[in-house]
Amino acid sequence: MIKVIIYEDDTAFRDTLSILVKGTDGFQLLGAFENCNNTAQHLIKLQPDVVLMDINMPGTNGLQGLSVIRGNAPDTHVLMFTVFDDNENIFQAICNGASGYLLKKTPPAKILEAIEEVHDGGAPITSSIARKILQMFPKAPARSTEIDKLTNREQEILQLVWAGLTNRTIAEQLHISIKTAEAHRANMMKKLRVSNIAQLLKTALEEGLLATHAG
């Protein structure tokens, strides 16, 4: 059972997310709130596994709430869920320790899939967000020997991660198990000495691992 908290100031949208989570087997909604004013208390009382976090909220906003969670419950996964896809918010969310980043127009099934993936240690990011992350960093001029650390399959999966695909979708596309897709992603992070998906994409771009294919 994945225990979920929602922070969203739009009442109608908060209710929609609440119904989605409560109505799906394997998920438990612990609470839904309009801002992060009492996040520290919520963490102690409710102990969520995954937090769906809006950014633009009155009072304590999502970026501030994310920092509170990282300081008090580092093992809690935070999935930023917002209409914003501008570089400043993306950069701040990544720096503050977001586990994933989705836009609010994401289909309901993909939202549930993303919650499951982030709970399993993945880092779901909408494809448009993944590309914006890449745009934040200078493009590497040439292919690096770092690519030799990755197997052909890992290089293939790296391109799919860059395209914003989740572990589940990657597994379906490559006809492998989700566990295998997760293992490949974990191995890439270990080989490139990074700890999250944003760092993986940044390092891959800097080392030229994506430049050959990105055009």
Side-chain angles (χ1 to χ4, degrees), residues 5 7 15 50 52 75 95 102 106 118 122 133 137 140 163 166 170 181-183:
I5 284 181
Y7 291 101
D15 290 345
V50 177
L52 288 183
D75 293 331
C95 289
L102 298 181
T106 302
V118 79
I133 290 173
F137 306 103
T166 64
I170 290 173
E182 292 171 349

Side-chain angles (χ1 to χ4, degrees), residues 137-158:
F137 306 103
K139 191 170 182 178
R143 172 187 170 113
S144 166
T145 55
E146 288 293 302
I147 199 168
D148 296 327
K149 294 181 179 181
L150 306 183
T151 65
N152 289 337
R153 177 63 94 182
E154 288 169 348
Q155 293 175 37
E156 184 178 14
I157 290 177
L158 179 61

Side-chain angles (χ1 to χ4, degrees), residues 4-75:
V4 179
I5 284 181
I6 297 168
Y7 291 101
E8 167 61 57
D9 67 314
D10 184 304
T11 302
F13 193 65
R14 185 171 67 245
D15 290 345
T16 297
L17 288 175
S18 298
I19 292 170
L20 177 66
V21 172
K22 287 193 295 186
T24 304
D25 291 339
F27 294 81
Q28 179 184 1
L29 181 65
L30 302 179
F33 309 96
E34 65 179 356
N35 58 39
C36 296
N37 289 357
N38 299 304
T39 295
Q41 294 92 317
H42 295 158
L43 294 174
I44 295 172
K45 181 178 180 180
L46 302 176
Q47 299 184 2
D49 297 315
V50 177
V51 173
L52 288 183
M53 180 74 78
D54 185 23
I55 285 184
N56 189 26
M57 294 181 288
T60 305
N61 66 34
L63 294 176
Q64 294 167 327
L66 175 59
S67 294
V68 171
I69 293 172
R70 283 290 154 265
N72 291 275
D75 293 331

Side-chain angles (χ1 to χ4, degrees), residues 99-168:
S99 304
Y101 204 119
L102 298 181
L103 297 181
K104 288 186 175 180
K105 62 183 179 182
T106 302
K110 292 294 184 181
I111 295 172
L112 294 174
E113 182 179 321
I115 295 173
E116 289 181 325
E117 182 169 350
V118 79
H119 180 257
D120 292 337
I125 297 181
T126 300
S127 58
S128 62
I129 299 298
R131 293 182 182 277
K132 282 184 175 292
I133 290 173
L134 297 183
Q135 293 169 5
M136 295 179 195
F137 306 103
K139 191 170 182 178
R143 172 187 170 113
S144 166
T145 55
E146 288 293 302
I147 199 168
D148 296 327
K149 294 181 179 181
L150 306 183
T151 65
N152 289 337
R153 177 63 94 182
E154 288 169 348
Q155 293 175 37
E156 184 178 14
I157 290 177
L158 179 61
Q159 302 304 319
L160 297 177
V161 171
W162 172 60
L165 274 63
T166 64
N167 281 334
R168 184 184 302 275

